[in-house]
């Protein structure tokens, strides 16, 4: 098994490089690792249909690896230009184009990836305003199109003046190092998501029935009124839970 670290920062030994190194040096024994610093490559788009040796070399490194670890800072609430340029130029490698212009996952389908990013703003501000959200979303969008499966993400906020990564982030990097050291199936999270969905619906239904009980004296045994009230209450609860899962639980801190 091989893990490829992709450093997309202007600094080869900065905080993102430190987090990436912390992940790679803590993988299980027997797992091969390699790090590429994108600034060392002259990454330009394909010209017409000619081969691009640099992109071909990078594509081969991606193909030879089971897990990719992207490490890139967040600038102006967006992904660093270094990684964005890499994604843009590698587009013909990531996806296949159909005759109508639509894309389908390319040669890297069912590989896995981990995302790392950092930003100057405080932990609280990043949690409230989601400064790093768009950086992770850009990576997720590209990887989703390529059919690559997400393992997780690590964010390091409050980096202004910081020289070394804090202890809690080191521990988080070490945790993910163990997680990505195990060869994954195509998508290990499918069963987990179905189980979570089942319990979510079960709990919502129970709460809805509990809220309906005080309304029985007013509604009575009218089937349609009971059905309508159950539907409205269930929908409100569903909207609240989805909002929490999407915008609150996954806020990067």
């Amino acid at each position: 098994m091989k893990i490829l670290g992709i450093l997309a920062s202007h600094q080869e030994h900065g905080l993102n490089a430190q987090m990436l190194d912390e992940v790679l040096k803590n993988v299980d024994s027997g797992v091969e690792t390699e790090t590429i610093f994108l600034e060392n490559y002259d990454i330009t788009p394909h010209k017409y249909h000619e081969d691009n040796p640099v992109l071909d070399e990078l594509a081969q490194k991606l193909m030879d690896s089971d897990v990719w670890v992207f490490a890139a800072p967040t600038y102006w609430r967006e992904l660093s230009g270094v990684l964005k340029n890499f994604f843009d130029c590698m587009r013909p490698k990531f996806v296949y184009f159909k005759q109508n212009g639509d894309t389908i996952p390319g040669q890297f389908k069912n590989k896995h990836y981990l995302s790392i990013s950092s930003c100057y703003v405080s932990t609280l501000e990043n949690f409230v305003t989601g400064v790093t959200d768009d950086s992770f979303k850009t990576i997720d969008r590209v990887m989703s199109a390529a059919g690559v499966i997400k393992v997780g993400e690590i964010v390091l906020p409050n980096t202004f003046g910081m020289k070394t990564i804090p202890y809690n982030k080191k521990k988080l990097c070490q945790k993910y190092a163990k997680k990505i050291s195990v060869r994954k199936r195509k998508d290990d999270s499918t069963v987990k998501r179905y189980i979570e969905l089942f319990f979510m619906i079960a709990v919502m239904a129970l709460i809805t029935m509990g809220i309906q009980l005080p309304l029985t004296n007013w509604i009575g045994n009218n089937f349609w009124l009971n059905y309508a009230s159950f539907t409205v209450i269930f929908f409100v609860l569903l909207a609240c839970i989805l909002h929490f899962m999407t915008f609150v639980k996954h806020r990067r801190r």
Side-chain angles (χ1 to χ4, degrees):
M1 180 176 178
K2 182 176 181 180
I3 300 173
L4 179 67
I6 302 167
L7 180 58
S9 174
H10 296 295
Q11 299 182 40
E12 191 170 1
H13 304 289
L15 294 171
N16 290 278
Q18 291 180 40
M19 286 200 292
L20 176 58
D21 181 63
E22 193 68 30
V23 171
L24 297 183
K25 74 181 183 182
N26 283 285
V27 299
D28 292 345
S29 59
V31 177
E32 183 183 353
T33 64
E34 180 184 358
T35 300
I36 56 174
F37 183 43
L38 292 184
E39 284 279 14
N40 289 336
Y41 294 84
D42 182 20
I43 300 174
T44 55
H46 279 262
K47 296 181 179 178
Y48 308 106
H49 296 287
E50 298 175 2
D51 289 334
N52 185 314
V54 174
L55 297 187
D56 290 341
E57 177 186 350
L58 292 172
Q60 188 59 51
K61 289 181 179 294
L62 294 173
M63 180 57 69
D64 293 340
S65 306
D66 301 287
V67 182
W68 309 336
V69 184
F70 297 104
T74 293
Y75 297 132
W76 304 107
R77 301 179 68 96
E78 243 301 354
L79 193 64
S80 71
V82 178
L83 188 53
K84 184 61 169 60
N85 182 57
F86 171 74
F87 284 157
D88 292 344
C89 295
M90 289 290 290
R91 188 183 181 200
K93 303 285 189 182
F94 284 138
V95 297
Y96 296 131
F97 290 89
K98 295 166 40 175
Q99 289 185 345
N100 63 357
D102 291 341
T103 63
I104 57 176
Q107 57 188 322
F108 307 119
K109 184 179 180 182
N110 293 325
K111 291 184 179 293
H112 292 71
Y113 74 99
L114 171 69
S115 305
I116 298 173
S117 190
S118 64
C119 64
Y120 274 178
V121 302
S122 68
T123 302
L124 178 61
E125 183 178 352
N126 192 45
F127 177 77
V128 173
T129 64
V131 170
T132 55
D133 283 9
D134 285 338
S135 294
F136 288 113
K137 286 178 182 177
T138 298
I139 298 175
D140 294 345
R141 192 177 301 116
V142 175
M143 293 296 100
S144 177
V148 184
I149 301 165
K150 184 174 185 176
V151 176
E153 57 191 34
I154 304 172
V155 64
L156 178 64
N158 202 28
T159 58
F160 186 77
M162 186 183 294
K163 301 299 182 184
T164 58
I165 57 176
Y167 176 76
N168 65 321
K169 294 300 178 181
K170 285 187 177 181
K171 296 298 290 183
L172 186 59
C173 289
Q174 293 166 13
K175 172 186 173 182
Y176 273 107
K178 300 304 179 185
K179 188 172 183 179
I180 64 177
S181 295
V182 179
R183 190 178 297 277
K184 303 288 183 178
R185 296 193 299 272
K186 289 184 177 181
D187 189 349
D188 291 348
S189 301
T190 302
V191 175
K192 178 183 176 182
R193 285 197 294 266
Y194 279 120
I195 293 174
E196 289 177 344
L197 179 62
F198 171 80
F199 281 104
M200 183 187 302
I201 293 175
V203 171
M204 286 170 53
L206 180 63
I207 295 174
T208 302
M209 293 174 65
I211 295 174
Q212 266 196 310
L213 283 177
L215 301 177
T216 53
N217 293 331
W218 177 66
I219 296 175
N221 293 322
N222 187 298
F223 172 81
W224 290 109
L225 284 178
N226 278 285
Y227 170 74
S229 63
F230 184 92
T231 302
V232 170
I233 295 169
F234 193 89
F235 174 78
V236 172
L237 290 174
L238 177 63
C240 292
I241 291 177
L242 289 177
H243 177 79
F244 173 79
M245 297 294 290
T246 305
F247 297 103
V248 178
K249 182 182 178 182
H250 293 290
R251 278 293 185 197
R252 287 86 186 183
R253 291 168 283 184

